[in-house]
Amino acid sequence: MDKYERGERMNLKNLPDDEYFTPGHTACPGCAAPIIVRNMMKILGKDTVIYTPANCLLVFGGTYPYIAWKVPYFHEAFENTGSSISGAARALKKQGKKVTVVGIAGDGGTYDIGIQALSGAAERNEDVIYVCYDNEAYMNTGIQRSGSTPYGAETTTTPAGKKILGKLRHKKDMAEIMRAHDIPYVATASISHIADFLKKVEKMKNIEGFRYFHVLSPCPTGWRYDPSKTVEIARKAVDSGMWTLYEAEYGEITNIYKPKKKIPVEEYIRGQGRFRHMTPEMIEELQRWVDRKWERLYGEKP
Amino acid sequence: MYEIRFHGRGGQGGRMAAEALALAAFLEGKYAVSFPFFGAERRGAPVRAFTRIDDKKIRIKTQIYEPDYVVVLDETLIETEDVLEGLKPDGMVIINTQKKPEEVKLSRSVRCATIDATTIALETIGRAITNTAILGAISRATGKIGIDAIEKAIIEKFGARLGKEAGEKNAIAARKAYEKTIVGIAKAGKKFEGKKQWLPTVDELPLGGSIGTLQTEAGLVGIGSFSENKTGGWRVFMPVVDEQRCTGCKICWFYCPEGAIKMVDNKAKINYDYCKGCGICENECPFKAIEMKREVRI
């Protein structure tokens, strides 16, 4: 019987007080990314090495000469998070050190620019953790569309104007691409579901091989909502089916969270400035996409 | 020619204010240029924006180092940097604060106009975005640009971006501020120490290695050193914990993006040095034990 079955797993009550990502960082008020990394680091602990390519977290987590991380922290180029963490993990293994190597990239660094290095590292089954914090656009450079931006969302490169009304294509399903790599662990999470989030972080810490962890990270600046609503919006994303929480081991979904009551996608997009221009037809199209995804993942009609 | 420098925080709209002021001058038949300056910073971090206004064509493209007017959108900024730096001797500073000009203490005695733009913005627009209210104050304090042109510029600039109704509300905020601006003289006596920088030579840095945490003349550097950067000045609203209602469930502790909430004796304690006032804790507390209150800074 392992400790999960005994019910000794990490929960909000016994989550350590230790902070490996210090206050004083310069993230926008209400940013979800520090919530994700702070709490993740409480479980991963001090024997961790962090790699980040260009993203907001890189800037607000370390602006010369200040660093918010209390663990070794490296900045590498945008496209090679996968290969950097592969090399670091192998070097540390050769030295006989037991260290968790973590690469944290945004959606741009994962979906678009970093996908080849990521795919290679996953295919080689390197012993690393890859975290994608997904805020659905290139927020660091001023909100440009990425492969992760959902249909209809307004960004500076998909403006709601006379010719187009926001992004024309749907969000790419990155976690599914990673699931197809037949790796030991793929998990999607949301800060709105604390127990689920902590369980997944703790589980992935103790697995050997390539682990892919994908967290939705609402962005008050880019999504244009009130900063206090960050967690509420993350929760609505899960409840509407825009974001699905599951775990997959070697390509098989082993655990999937189903919202008790599915809310219409309209309820999720309300209050987010990036969707404000959406017409009823566009909302219907987004709903159809959510329903298709729902049917594929749950194997039943919503 | 006269030059105006705006000091604000990212997201407060310093850039939009500088641009709207340039547009207002243009509507009055003047020449005007405007541009912002910011580094790799997020919302809430100090930023600057500039506007130059002249009767003839403007050829100068530099940042403004010796302004005629300084506009401060956030009063916490006058504590951390000398906003009067380079201001001409007969220049004037316009500050968003609840204080009267005589109560404001700066590095030297200078003409000063004050306006409680945050309250006006909250009452009129419903958000603590003060850039349009401050434009009304600029019109009153400087007397160089008419409030009618300011209103027209706001409706044109903000209306195009936020919708007609929001544009008009912002114009009302400017008009209100125009009527409430107080002009006087600020006190001298605030001391600023020049901020030291840590500039190590190549020999002092381990090549390809880690520096760990170092205490330098510029303060702490290296891993964990961001804790010296107190972000508490960013907020407009502060969370206040009702200890009677707090059950110690740790939900706010989990959700605080700053890690500014600590659990002490099973009650949430907020570290105001770092709290940016995002309000997630109030929104997520299941027992309604946290309330966001307008912060009054003295």
Side-chain angles (χ1 to χ4, degrees), chain A residues 183-239:
Chain A
I183 48 177
Y185 194 63
V186 171
T188 59
S190 164
I191 50 167
S192 55
H193 294 65
I194 300 178
D196 178 83
F197 177 92
L198 296 176
K199 187 186 86 183
K200 284 170 178 166
V201 177
E202 194 186 20
K203 190 166 175 186
M204 83 178 169
K205 187 191 175 185
N206 298 311
I207 289 175
E208 218 173 284
F210 197 91
R211 293 143 282 172
Y212 178 78
F213 188 53
H214 196 149
V215 197
L216 186 70
S217 174
C219 169
T221 309
W223 299 12
R224 303 215 305 273
Y225 63 83
D226 185 86
S228 66
K229 307 277 187 242
T230 296
V231 181
E232 203 179 306
I233 283 181
R235 193 173 293 123
K236 281 182 181 165
V238 175
D239 287 347

Side-chain angles (χ1 to χ4, degrees), chain A residues 240 242 263-270 283 286-287 290:
Chain A
S240 64
M242 282 291 285
I263 61 168
V265 72
E266 200 179 347
E267 220 167 293
Y268 165 67
I269 66 175
R270 202 187 299 144
I283 295 172
L286 190 61
Q287 184 69 58
V290 167

Side-chain angles (χ1 to χ4, degrees), chain A residues 128-142:
Chain A
V128 292
I129 294 174
Y130 189 101
V131 180
C132 171
Y133 81 95
D134 184 356
N135 51 27
E136 303 192 329
Y138 289 84
M139 299 309 181
N140 189 32
T141 45

Side-chain angles (χ1 to χ4, degrees), chain B residues 48-296:
Chain B
R48 291 177 177 197
F50 311 100
T51 303
R52 272 196 187 90
I53 298 169
D54 203 350
D55 293 324
K56 50 184 193 296
K57 277 185 186 166
I58 299 167
R59 299 288 186 197
I60 184 167
K61 304 283 184 223
T62 64
Q63 291 182 46
I64 292 172
Y65 300 99
E66 291 178 343
D68 299 87
Y69 301 100
V70 166
V71 180
V72 183
L73 277 90
D74 189 319
E75 64 176 315
T76 59
L77 291 171
I78 63 176
E79 305 298 328
T80 52
E81 58 178 327
D82 186 7
V83 294
L84 301 186
E85 195 191 345
L87 180 68
K88 290 192 179 131
D90 59 342
M92 186 180 201
V93 56
I94 298 151
I95 304 175
N96 167 24
T97 174
Q98 294 181 320
K99 292 177 193 161
K100 291 196 180 74
E102 294 72 33
E103 295 164 359
V104 177
K105 198 171 170 186
L106 296 166
S107 61
R108 61 185 162 94
S109 185
V110 65
R111 283 198 297 147
C112 174
T114 61
I115 177 69
D116 185 6
T118 308
T119 303
I120 292 173
L122 285 170
E123 282 170 359
T124 322
I125 316 164
R127 294 177 68 192
I129 300 208
T130 53
N131 55 356
T132 45
I134 207 94
L135 285 172
I138 294 169
S139 172
R140 164 56 72 84
T142 65
K144 298 240 180 189
I145 289 184
I147 183 71
D148 296 331
I150 296 266
E151 280 185 329
K152 226 186 272 172
I154 289 172
I155 290 171
E156 190 174 325
K157 185 136 193 77
F158 289 74
R161 189 165 154 165
L162 307 167
K164 192 161 173 276
E165 194 194 349
E168 277 164 6
K169 273 188 188 168
N170 276 288
I172 294 169
R175 173 72 73 171
K176 274 194 191 168
Y178 179 79
E179 283 155 9
K180 287 187 178 167
T181 304
I182 312 165
V183 183
I185 306 278
K187 280 189 295 192
K190 198 177 221 80
K191 291 267 182 293
F192 288 95
E193 276 178 36
K195 203 180 169 198
K196 290 199 176 103
Q197 280 189 315
W198 182 63
L199 297 165
T201 62
V202 176
D203 299 335
E204 286 168 293
L205 283 175
L207 206 61
S210 163
I211 56 162
T213 311
L214 282 182
Q215 188 68 46
T216 70
E217 55 176 10
L220 215 57
V221 298
I223 58 169
S225 57
F226 241 145
S227 56
E228 291 213 337
N229 182 31
K230 302 286 197 291
T231 48
W234 294 23
R235 65 177 177 266
V236 176
F237 290 90
M238 61 193 287
V240 178
V241 182
D242 179 353
E243 293 213 345
Q244 299 295 317
R245 287 188 175 182
C246 180
T247 62
C249 69
K250 290 171 90 176
I251 284 178
C252 57
W253 172 80
F254 182 91
Y255 280 138
C256 180
E258 315 313 323
I261 299 179
K262 287 273 166 288
M263 302 307 295
V264 180
D265 298 330
N266 218 18
K267 302 278 176 203
K269 279 267 178 309
I270 291 159
N271 185 343
Y272 294 108
D273 281 352
Y274 299 111
C275 169
K276 291 176 189 160
C278 66
I280 292 178
C281 49
E282 182 203 39
N283 208 38
E284 294 306 317
C285 179
F287 305 99
K288 301 264 167 279
I290 298 180
E291 198 189 338
M292 297 300 287
K293 289 186 176 154
R294 173 82 193 277
E295 184 165 6
V296 182

